[in-house]
Amino acid sequence: MTIVGWLQTAVFLGIVLLLTKPLGAYMAKVFEGERTLLSPVLAPIERATYRVCGIHPGKEMSAVAYLLATLAFSLVGFGYLFVLLQTQKWLPLNPQHFDNFSADNAFNIAASFMANTNWQFYSGENSMSYLSQMAGLAWHNFVSAGAGIAIAIAVIRGVARSGFATLGNFWVDITRAVLYVLLPICVVGGLFLCWQGVPQNFHPYQNVVSLEGFAQTITGGPMASQEVIKELGTNGGGFVNANSASPNENPTPFSNLFELVLIFLIGAGLTYTYGRYVKDQRQGWALFAAMAILFVAGFSVAYAAEAAGNPLVHHLGVAGPNMEGKECRFGVPASALFATVTTDTSCGAVNAMHDSFLPLGGLVPLADMQLGEIAFGGVGTGLYGMILFVVLTVFIAGLMVGRTPEYLGKKIERREVQLAMLGALVLPVLALIPVALSVLVPAGTATLSNGGPHGFSELLYGFSSTTENNGSAFAGLGGNLYFNILMGCVMILGRFTFLIPAMLLAGSLAAKVRVPATAGTFTTHSPIFIGLLLGTIIIVGALTFFPADALGPIVEHLLMLQGKVF
Amino acid sequence: MISQRRLERRPKARSLLDAKILAVAALESFRKLDPRWQFRNPVMFVCEVGALVTLAFFVRDLRTGGPAGFDFAISMWLWFTVVFANFAEAVAEGRGKAQADFLRRTKTETKGRRVVDGREEVVSATLLRTGDVVRVVAGELIPVDGEVTRGAASVDESAITGESAPVIREAGGDRSAVTGGTRVLSDEILIVVTSNPGETFLDRMIALVEGAKRQKTPNEIALSILLAGLTIIFVIAVATLSPYSIYAGTAQSVTVLIALLVCLIPTTIGGLLSAIGIAGMDRVLQRNVLAMSGRSVEAAGDVDTLLLDKTGTITLGNRHATEIVVAPGVERSAAVRAGYLSSLPDETPEGRSIVALAETEGAAGKADGSTFVPFSAYTRMSGVDLAGGESIRKGAPDSIRAWVRERGGNDSGILAQEVESIARAGGTPLLLAQDATILAVIHLKDILKPAMRERFDRMRKMGIHTIMITGDNPLTASTIARESGVDDFLAEATPQTKMALIKREQQAGRLVAMTGDGTNDAPALAQADVGVAMNSGTQAAKEAANMVDLDSDPTKLIEIVEIGKQLLMTRGALTTFSIANDVAKYFAILPAMFVTAYPAMQALNIMHLTTPQSAILSAVIFNALIIVALIPLALRGVAYRPLGANAVLRINVLVYGIGGLLIPFIGIKLIDMLLAALHLA
């Protein structure tokens, strides 16, 4: 490990920290309909949107109505993309004349983008028309992120409100999320990326002869505009297959740092928004602290593992860190950082091959996802995932002080525990059971690129990634009918089976009357509470996944130390 | 013949490990293996199913020559795990059952003298109905629950309360209720029956302590859901491990997988959960409080605001008249006589103390033909209307002044200074008036109970706001509040203002607890989240409350709050402990499972357990024994400290969280060493 490596990370986290307050405060204003700097430009567009769509912005929704609106909106979007992918051949903006996708592949992609996963059983530059990229994938990159923010805001309102039956209006919240939060940052960010050298055009790919005399195809397309929302919306689906490792998507150290910041930006900002809503910034900072600690711990392990390098390679007389599968431009620290950041959130963009990490280095992104992607997390999803853990922690800790547990004055009772537990069940059910199925059926293991524990890790990683709507991958899972359908279903269920208990929990909390805090109420922003929260997250996650991980990266690491690799 | 037998005293506290209870519980813990019984508790049900399945594999191995010894050992320890959990519950229940058995012996067939139209007839207690009038004389058992309508008697209530000191029960006032099964020691009383056979206090008490109607409390249900959820997660984690291990080429036996599953599911808290609840109720009963439901004990732990009646709680019950200050221009003997006459029929301690004071100044005689106007919380005065038409009233200064004004008298300024100085000194000024004239002010002195300030400080640390309720004027009230250290007070309280206060606190989201004894307390007792009625109080109060204090000690409420908190703390502490335990169990069992296929896994065997079999068996044995080891803690409750929530959290996280992480590492290692030393694995 090097000082520079740690410095880059410190600078990165510092920038995120600096932006948290202004963005968080801005979002709090936006979602309460207050005037902001951008209102003169955006408010007329917002009003026009409501008029055209027939939205009554003053009409608030109950938790169930909000949920139904989210589901209906997602379902329609899913159907639209499903059709688009199977008709792109006949539609404009297809200079490479790509064919239509097969139905099962289209199902998988539509599910993947609708669920903010961006798991890619396709290679963008070889199969996806510009129209499909821009009107199909980018549309979902915006609205799935917008829906995530909207739901997070509804959940925040649930915690903040007292004696309310409603949580806001989904249509208004998603409109504001896209219009006031995502679009402005994307416009500025897209220009920044263009400046750094990311292409933005509609040209066909260029065939050139390189200096060495080889023929080469250089891909083009509207990349910068896709790239910025890919990170900001924690979507992660690359324009090209190599994702952020490709010089076109991520040309410079600045673009790399910029993309990293974009991934954490909204998740971090929402913790401040949360503090605003509950009228106690310390509550927001406590969540921020818990998230930051998880991130730093994960990064440290990944960085240490990759920087230490492979002992078997060292025995061959080649010293140095593990450079397999990494871009030399970024090196070990920026690759370990990107891998941690992309899996701490539901992004899944990559600038290195996670599959080529050493076992412990690869364990970090895997474990990040298995803990529920709550270290800043996916846009919105990270915050409400964290709140579910807070509810569980408060329940156990609260009992220990001898009162019916309360969080911010809301009593945590039977219904809240029930819903939080339902949420906690999603991950083991959707990640572990399909892996078990896959090792039992021939189609499940047919495409694995490695044997032994590493092959097992590929499966485990794949289903952890799809359940948690991450989208990054180890290798080895082919886009065959089996995986297209199974993973498509896992991604849809991963998003919605978690969203339903979260929304209902918010509804239940909103209806409760706040109990004033006394000396008998323990504070939920103290270091000890943050410690307990982390303990709950790690113990619940570790207890669920330790057996599986033991047969994957952990045993692979132990075997590597004995000289056995896969 | 009416029963004259001597009463046994109800034993209150029992030692934690009474041999007789343990013997019964041991038997009971095998009876509870019935799966229909286990099904209510998903954690232990999974454990029992595991025990059954491993037993089946043992039988199969006997025939096929598999590792029968190992299967047998695992199966037996899984059965023990279930039995130990049953035992914990049975011990807790046993304590209640012992109480119920005693009470049932008290409830033998008694007879009573029913008074009908002045004639007396001896009838069986089972024939007495609500509204009947019964006469009970010294030495007799009171046949049913009732309210004294005439006379006063000392009553031995030890059969119910366990306290041997006799108590006074008298007509009028708030000490009029008597309970069937108690005995009149002296004098005789007439009582009106207030409950039908089968619905008496004793019947309810038996049902309650026996736990026959025990239902899971809201918090217990929430915790059960959490535990069931964790169990499902572990079932998935272990069930999927089977195909994973097949893929890894190291297929695991069902016995080993079940051993892992049972070690991971929260059997420690799952097995002790109902025992904790029952023991909490039992602790309340040991303090001589009868809680009508577990829910109310739990709610007591949540109380934010405590309403305490001044009299009896903060001050000693009996205020004494110490001085009569006569108004200018009034003859002293006339004033003393008026005070004497108005208090003669007044059965309250204050009334009697005025009579006694007047007698020292020579007052005597009787006022024939006068009618008594009893004190009411609405008029806040009492007195007599004499045969000659004159009315004498004594009571709260503002009420008396208003009364005098109504009669055209002049009240302005008379004795105002004296009233204020009495109030300022913390005494209660009682104005005495005859028709339109104010005669005198009587100084009633309050005596503070000792050590109340410490108690209030303790409450404050726990985050509980204490409010003193008193009929006194604000001046007196504030003096007593200051002296006693109570947080706040409600002066000149009437049933309405009291009710309004409770509602206001509740609307602000606070949980309110109060004690009460009089009939006019009943609505407030019903409104409060935790209402504790005094056993000596009226039937209406007892019915409205959700707890009855058999000792009629209003300070008991403070202890009830502590028991409620302790109950929740015990649940939380053992849940944390149980979950934290899993870490060590993983490090025992996982390397043991995979070390044959991957010798490198030995690196995870950080406890250096002897063999894979001994490692798995040690974890299972630890898992079973820890339940037994924690039974005393579950029954007694975790140590309660009156500290702020953050301090309590820190201590408990350290003891049960960090302790829960470390202890199993030590325990499993020791068991493994023992197994190795005995060559058992």
Side-chain angles (χ1 to χ4, degrees):
Chain A
M1 288 184 281
T2 61
I3 303 274
V4 176
W6 284 104
L7 266 181
Q8 315 188 0
T9 307
V11 167
F12 159 68
L13 197 57
I15 295 174
V16 171
L17 185 63
L18 279 179
L19 292 175
T20 296
K21 182 176 172 178
L23 180 67
Y26 171 74
M27 287 196 284
K29 273 189 172 173
V30 164
F31 290 104
E32 285 312 286
E34 291 171 32
R35 234 185 124 69
T36 63
L37 209 62
L38 296 176
S39 297
V41 185
L42 298 177
I45 307 176
E46 184 191 349
R47 281 194 297 273
T49 310
Y50 297 154
R51 214 169 309 122
V52 170
C53 301
I55 297 165
H56 302 287
K59 209 173 141 200
E60 292 233 334
M61 296 173 170
S62 68
V64 174
Y66 205 104
L67 198 56
L68 288 177
T70 316
L71 295 180
F73 178 73
S74 304
L75 186 70
V76 172
F78 167 83
Y80 154 70
L81 181 56
F82 185 60
V83 172
L84 181 66
L85 293 172
Q86 291 181 88
T87 50
Q88 67 171 9
K89 186 163 101 176
W90 305 300
L91 296 172
L93 280 178
N94 188 7
Q96 302 301 122
H97 307 290
F98 292 132
D99 202 353
N100 292 333
F101 283 90
S102 69
D104 60 314
N105 205 183
F107 166 77
N108 187 281
I109 299 168
S112 175
F113 279 78
M114 180 261 287
N116 194 259
T117 310
N118 297 20
W119 177 271
Q120 293 168 293
F121 270 147
Y122 67 92
S123 168
E125 66 271 41
N126 297 327
S127 55
M128 193 69 72
S129 77
Y130 293 163
L131 184 76
S132 299
Q133 288 274 15
M134 296 179 72
L137 305 187
W139 161 262
H140 275 283
N141 282 354
F142 274 98
V143 297
S144 69
I149 298 173
I151 292 154
I153 293 293
V155 171
I156 292 173
R157 288 197 190 109
V159 179
R161 287 180 172 182
S162 174
F164 262 71
T166 58
L167 298 169
N169 182 316
F170 171 74
W171 309 111
V172 171
D173 290 337
I174 191 173
T175 305
R176 288 183 178 156
V178 172
L179 199 58
Y180 286 85
V181 181
L182 298 175
L183 273 174
I185 301 176
C186 283
V187 168
V188 178
L191 290 174
F192 176 84
L193 287 177
C194 282
W195 173 46
Q196 291 297 308
V198 181
Q200 179 74 13
N201 59 44
F202 291 114
H203 305 318
Y205 300 162
Q206 294 177 20
N207 293 305
V208 296
V209 178
S210 70
L211 290 174
E212 294 139 309
F214 295 113
Q216 193 181 356
T217 303
I218 296 177
T219 53
M223 274 191 207
S225 57
Q226 302 277 94
E227 189 65 21
V228 63
I229 188 62
K230 175 188 103 183
E231 263 83 32
L232 183 67
T234 62
N235 296 290
F239 195 93
V240 297
N241 198 28
N243 210 302
S244 283
S246 133
N248 270 354
E249 286 199 23
N250 188 4
T252 69
F254 295 113
S255 68
N256 193 58
L257 180 63
F258 182 69
E259 291 184 5
L260 283 167
V261 171
L262 284 183
I263 297 174
F264 267 6
L265 192 60
I266 291 177
L270 280 172
T271 62
Y272 194 86
T273 311
Y274 181 68
R276 268 289 157 92
Y277 267 94
V278 302
K279 297 194 175 61
D280 183 359
Q281 287 306 147
R282 294 171 304 181
Q283 304 296 340
W285 287 121
L287 298 189
F288 184 98
M291 293 172 168
I293 291 169
L294 277 177
F295 156 69
V296 172
F299 168 73
S300 307
V301 174
Y303 185 26
E306 294 305 299
N310 188 336
L312 301 181
V313 176
H314 296 172
H315 286 316
L316 300 173
V318 184
N322 175 33
M323 284 303 288
E324 184 195 316
K326 296 194 176 59
E327 273 284 289
C328 292
R329 300 183 292 133
F330 301 129
V332 167
S335 300
L337 180 61
F338 210 109
T340 313
V341 167
T342 201
T343 49
D344 270 341
T345 63
S346 75
C347 185
V350 291
N351 76 349
M353 193 65 196
H354 293 183
D355 195 36
S356 296
F357 277 28
L358 290 170
L360 287 189
L363 176 64
V364 169
L366 178 62
D368 281 344
M369 296 186 293
Q370 290 169 342
L371 295 183
E373 290 173 354
I374 42 175
F376 300 107
V379 281
T381 58
L383 190 87
Y384 62 76
M386 193 56 136
I387 289 177
L388 244 57
F389 271 114
V390 167
V391 166
L392 287 182
T393 309
V394 162
F395 183 73
I396 298 171
L399 285 180
M400 277 197 287
V401 305
R403 271 173 81 91
T404 296
E406 304 158 5
Y407 181 55
L408 298 174
K410 301 293 181 68
K411 283 203 155 73
I412 305 300
E413 290 164 305
R414 173 191 184 156
R415 186 168 166 78
E416 290 72 43
V417 173
Q418 211 166 25
L419 293 169
M421 272 329 279
L422 270 180
L425 275 172
V426 169
L427 196 49
V429 169
L430 291 181
L432 289 177
I433 293 176
V435 175
L437 180 67
S438 298
V439 298
L440 292 178
V441 301
T445 49
T447 57
L448 292 183
S449 50
N450 291 281
H454 196 82
F456 181 71
S457 298
E458 290 173 355
L459 272 174
L460 191 58
Y461 194 102
F463 282 104
S464 299
S465 172
T466 41
T467 301
E468 280 297 296
N469 299 144
N470 186 281
S472 71
F474 269 16
L477 304 187
N480 57 23
L481 185 67
Y482 172 81
F483 280 115
N484 268 335
I485 301 298
L486 185 59
M487 289 198 150
C489 293
V490 165
M491 287 184 281
I492 296 173
L493 290 173
R495 177 133 170 126
F496 295 112
T497 52
F498 191 73
L499 193 153
I500 292 168
M503 275 308 284
L504 294 179
L505 178 71
S508 161
L509 288 176
K512 293 194 173 215
V513 177
R514 184 170 298 112
V515 184
T518 66
T521 322
F522 66 93
T523 44
T524 46
H525 54 76
S526 60
I528 183 143
F529 182 76
I530 296 172
L532 266 175
L533 176 60
L534 290 171
T536 308
I537 292 166
I538 291 168
I539 287 193
V540 169
L543 293 181
T544 312
F545 288 101
F546 191 57
D549 291 352
L551 287 177
I554 293 173
V555 76
E556 191 189 351
H557 170 75
L558 296 172
L559 290 170
M560 180 187 79
L561 295 181
Q562 295 191 344
K564 197 158 185 274
V565 287
F566 297 89
Chain B
M1 187 54 219
I2 291 170
S3 170
Q4 304 257 349
R5 72 184 166 83
R6 248 182 70 87
L7 284 181
E8 277 178 82
R9 182 144 70 93
R10 182 174 71 82
K12 271 199 289 182
R14 276 165 191 279
S15 93
L16 209 51
L17 303 169
D18 183 309
K20 216 161 117 195
I21 292 179
L22 292 187
V24 176
L27 199 70
E28 187 69 10
S29 48
F30 284 95
R31 200 172 300 146
K32 283 174 190 267
L33 286 176
D34 185 338
R36 282 168 302 181
W37 179 264
Q38 292 296 327
F39 193 68
R40 315 162 301 140
N41 183 340
V43 182
M44 296 320 291
F45 183 70
V46 168
C47 187
E48 186 168 65
V49 170
L52 209 59
V53 173
T54 47
L55 195 65
F57 273 88
F58 161 67
V59 173
R60 191 202 66 175
D61 285 346
L62 278 184
R63 294 224 305 269
T64 60
F70 179 69
D71 284 349
F72 181 73
I74 295 287
S75 181
M76 280 304 112
W77 279 102
L78 295 187
W79 284 113
F80 283 147
T81 312
V82 184
V83 168
F84 291 159
N86 289 345
F87 181 69
E89 188 178 65
V91 171
E93 284 173 345
R95 291 148 70 85
K97 282 215 180 80
Q99 294 278 2
D101 288 345
F102 173 82
L103 291 171
R104 217 172 261 124
R105 267 184 281 136
T106 305
K107 215 184 91 144
T108 46
E109 178 80 347
T110 48
K111 292 184 172 171
R113 305 167 201 272
R114 179 160 62 185
V115 183
V116 184
D117 304 325
R119 284 184 305 108
E120 263 178 37
E121 53 185 13
V122 175
V123 296
S124 162
T126 53
L127 294 175
L128 293 170
R129 291 292 179 274
T130 309
D132 286 350
V133 177
V134 182
R135 192 167 70 93
V136 189
V137 302
E140 288 179 357
L141 278 180
I142 295 172
V144 284
D145 294 356
E147 212 150 344
V148 181
T149 53
R150 197 190 308 157
S154 63
V155 178
D156 174 6
E157 295 194 337
S158 63
I160 289 174
T161 65
E163 298 292 338
S164 48
V167 291
I168 303 290
R169 293 288 173 258
E170 59 194 348
D174 291 335
R175 293 191 296 175
S176 59
V178 288
T179 310
T182 59
R183 196 160 59 112
V184 173
L185 291 178
S186 67
D187 305 299
E188 62 169 77
I189 43 177
L190 271 187
I191 60 175
V192 172
V193 178
T194 51
S195 55
N196 290 326
E199 304 158 9
T200 63
F201 190 67
L202 208 55
D203 292 316
R204 279 198 292 164
M205 189 161 166
I206 290 169
L208 282 167
V209 297
E210 205 169 32
K213 290 191 296 180
R214 199 183 100 82
Q215 288 177 326
K216 282 188 179 174
T217 57
N219 174 268
E220 202 176 343
I221 292 171
L223 183 54
S224 303
I225 290 169
L226 179 89
L227 299 180
L230 285 174
T231 305
I232 296 173
I233 290 179
F234 289 126
V235 168
I236 293 168
V238 174
T240 51
L241 191 56
S242 175
Y244 298 171
S245 56
I246 293 170
Y247 176 74
T250 165
Q252 296 298 319
S253 76
V254 173
T255 305
V256 167
L257 288 169
I258 286 176
L260 176 64
L261 174 64
V262 172
C263 283
L264 294 180
I265 60 176
T267 47
T268 313
I269 177 67
L272 294 173
L273 187 57
S274 67
I276 294 170
I278 299 167
M281 292 285 279
D282 189 54
R283 278 202 296 285
V284 172
L285 183 65
Q286 278 175 29
R287 301 253 193 333
N288 257 359
V289 175
L290 207 56
M292 299 302 162
S293 68
R295 182 190 282 258
S296 57
V297 178
E298 214 171 81
D302 281 349
V303 161
D304 301 286
T305 306
L306 211 53
L307 305 189
L308 297 166
D309 271 327
K310 182 196 75 175
T311 311
T313 313
I314 297 169
T315 60
L316 289 174
N318 305 347
R319 287 182 299 188
H320 271 261
T322 53
E323 198 187 350
I324 299 174
V325 183
V326 181
V330 175
E331 205 180 312
R332 182 162 186 91
S333 63
V336 169
R337 184 168 166 76
Y340 174 76
L341 288 178
S342 69
S343 303
L344 261 186
D346 185 350
E347 290 285 325
T348 64
E350 291 86 355
R352 265 176 276 156
S353 79
I354 295 171
V355 170
L357 182 67
E359 278 170 348
T360 63
E361 295 202 20
K366 268 190 168 176
D368 289 326
S370 65
T371 47
F372 178 52
V373 182
F375 178 85
S376 91
Y378 300 95
T379 60
R380 296 168 62 235
M381 60 175 120
S382 67
V384 286
D385 291 332
L386 298 175
E390 308 100 320
S391 297
I392 309 175
R393 291 289 184 274
K394 63 176 199 292
D398 52 336
S399 312
I400 293 292
R401 285 188 203 282
W403 184 77
V404 166
R405 267 200 305 279
E406 266 171 40
R407 278 160 185 70
N410 173 27
D411 72 294
S412 60
I414 300 172
L415 288 173
Q417 263 188 332
E418 287 80 357
V419 164
E420 212 187 302
S421 68
I422 291 172
R424 214 183 283 286
T428 307
L430 221 53
L431 269 187
L432 182 67
Q434 184 163 3
D435 296 324
T437 326
I438 292 175
L439 299 176
V441 55
I442 303 169
H443 185 167
L444 289 179
K445 211 166 194 172
D446 264 316
I447 302 153
L448 281 181
K449 279 193 170 181
M452 286 312 288
R453 180 172 289 277
E454 288 73 27
R455 289 211 153 187
F456 291 133
D457 287 347
R458 220 162 121 174
M459 296 273 106
R460 206 169 298 120
K461 282 209 192 96
M462 284 156 52
I464 295 171
H465 188 71
T466 46
I467 301 178
M468 177 179 84
I469 306 292
T470 171
D472 295 340
N473 64 55
L475 219 56
T476 314
S478 76
T479 306
I480 294 177
R482 199 172 47 246
E483 281 176 10
S484 64
V486 72
D487 291 332
D488 205 349
F489 63 87
L490 177 70
E492 288 170 352
T494 63
Q496 288 97 328
T497 56
K498 206 163 161 178
M499 190 69 158
L501 175 69
I502 294 176
K503 285 188 173 158
R504 199 168 64 234
E505 291 288 311
Q506 287 176 334
Q507 264 155 21
R510 299 192 185 93
L511 247 60
V512 181
M514 69 168 282
T515 55
D517 47 11
T519 301
N520 55 37
D521 283 331
L525 279 171
Q527 176 71 29
D529 302 285
V530 178
V532 182
M534 302 296 102
N535 191 35
S536 60
T538 59
Q539 193 66 25
K542 280 155 90 171
E543 264 164 25
N546 38 28
M547 290 190 206
V548 175
D549 179 15
L550 301 173
D551 297 338
S552 305
D553 170 10
T555 54
K556 199 69 79 54
L557 192 47
I558 298 172
E559 288 170 46
I560 298 172
V561 168
E562 296 187 349
I563 293 173
K565 286 192 173 298
Q566 204 187 22
L567 180 67
L568 294 182
M569 278 162 68
T570 309
R571 280 190 201 136
L574 290 183
T575 304
T576 309
F577 185 85
S578 195
I579 296 172
N581 270 204
D582 282 3
V583 176
K585 292 171 190 164
Y586 263 137
F587 279 99
I589 298 183
L590 279 186
M593 290 172 95
F594 300 123
V595 78
T596 355
Y598 297 122
M601 275 281 194
Q602 188 61 27
L604 290 185
N605 182 8
I606 53 176
M607 284 177 271
H608 299 291
L609 303 176
T610 321
T611 64
Q613 281 79 17
S614 78
I616 294 168
L617 196 53
S618 303
V620 172
I621 293 175
F622 176 84
N623 194 51
L625 291 182
I626 196 72
I627 295 179
V628 183
L630 291 172
I631 289 177
L633 184 73
L635 297 187
R636 212 176 37 225
V638 304
Y640 175 79
R641 299 173 187 83
L643 300 171
N646 289 323
V648 170
L649 184 63
R650 226 179 353 257
I651 293 168
N652 285 338
V653 167
L654 210 66
V655 174
Y656 299 98
I658 308 292
L661 275 179
L662 299 180
I663 286 172
F665 279 104
I666 301 164
I668 292 172
K669 177 70 188 170
L670 287 178
I671 294 169
D672 178 74
M673 285 161 69
L674 193 68
L675 289 178
L678 298 173
H679 302 289
L680 284 174

